[in-house]
């Protein structure tokens, strides 16, 4: 008796099917929106201007996150839920407190506004968790966005995102987002 041979499977269309599946998934899959932090680096100062620029201590607040994800604003430990309001007060200096940032008159599009010279310096430890860093970043940006909305409502009667591009540029100049992000340091757990 002879052995029966198993018939070969015709695989000539397998490549076509794989290609069609690939095309299907490429067409139906949506890529997530890019998410991240939008930051614009400051321009490189001229060496002559850099010597003339000295920032007054009262105009800077240092926000630190240590390796245990503990938050400090200025010299005081703080819960993140209070950070946004503290930064809004710092940047706006509503009572002209001499311990808070100076304001200077700036002419923007033919009108004079008082603009804060406040700068938030964000520093973190090398051991800081990404979640803590992003949470603090979000609170700082929220503070600036809320100040911009308040300014927009006072000046234009609309929220910032409802303004046209020219009006938004005025608001951005009147309420600048001065957040400086320093190189991670070894801040430690007790500081």
């Amino acid at each position: 008796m002879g052995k029966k041979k198993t018939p070969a499977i015709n695989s000539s269309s397998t490549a076509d099917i794989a290609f069609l599946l690939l095309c299907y998934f490429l067409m139906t899959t949506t890529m997530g929106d890019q998410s991240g932090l939008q930051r614009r680096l400051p321009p490189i100062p001229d060496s002559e201007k850099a010597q003339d620029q000295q920032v007054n201590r009262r105009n800077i607040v240092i926000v630190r996150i240590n390796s245990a994800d503990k938050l400090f604003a200025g010299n005081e430990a703080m819960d993140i839920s209070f950070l946004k309001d503290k930064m809004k007060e710092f940047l706006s200096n509503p009572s002209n407190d001499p311990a808070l940032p100076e304001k200077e008159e700036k002419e923007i599009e033919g009108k004079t506004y008082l603009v804060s010279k406040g700068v938030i310096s964000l520093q973190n430890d090398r051991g800081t968790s990404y979640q803590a860093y992003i949470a603090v970043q979000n609170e700082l940006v929220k503070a600036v966005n809320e100040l911009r909305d308040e300014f927009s409502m006072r000046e234009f009667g609309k929220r910032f995102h409802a303004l046209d591009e020219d009006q938004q540029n005025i608001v951005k100049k009147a309420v600048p987002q001065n957040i400086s992000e320093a190189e991670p340091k070894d801040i430690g757990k007790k500081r």
Side-chain angles (χ1 to χ4, degrees), residues 116-130:
S116 174
K117 290 184 171 184
V119 175
I120 300 169
S121 175
L122 177 58
Q123 300 176 0
N124 65 295
D125 191 275
R126 294 187 193 283
T128 302
S129 75
Y130 183 73

Side-chain angles (χ1 to χ4, degrees), residues 54-60 102 117:
Q54 288 194 350
V55 180
N56 192 333
R57 272 225 186 273
R58 77 181 255 194
N59 294 338
I60 298 176
E102 303 168 278
K117 290 184 171 184

Side-chain angles (χ1 to χ4, degrees), residues 132-190:
Y133 184 76
I134 295 300
V136 169
Q137 275 271 349
N138 286 341
E139 291 301 307
L140 297 178
V141 172
K142 270 190 219 173
V144 172
N145 288 343
E146 284 187 16
L147 287 172
R148 285 179 174 174
D149 271 341
E150 291 167 10
F151 180 87
S152 299
M153 291 301 289
R154 270 193 321 271
E155 291 297 316
F156 303 107
K158 298 185 228 174
R159 295 184 63 127
F160 177 74
H161 291 291
L163 301 176
D164 64 39
E165 191 175 336
D166 292 335
Q167 291 171 329
Q168 283 186 355
N169 287 333
I170 292 170
V171 175
K172 286 177 183 178
K173 290 175 185 172
V175 184
Q177 180 174 300
N178 293 329
I179 301 172
S180 168
E181 298 174 51
E183 180 83 18
K185 298 178 181 178
D186 292 321
I187 295 171
K189 294 186 182 190
K190 291 184 179 179

Side-chain angles (χ1 to χ4, degrees), residues 59-79:
N59 294 338
I60 298 176
V61 65
I62 297 174
V63 176
R64 291 186 182 99
I65 316 165
N66 68 13
S67 60
D69 292 345
K70 192 166 183 184
L71 176 66
F72 298 87
N75 290 329
E76 62 182 273
M78 172 176 296
D79 186 77

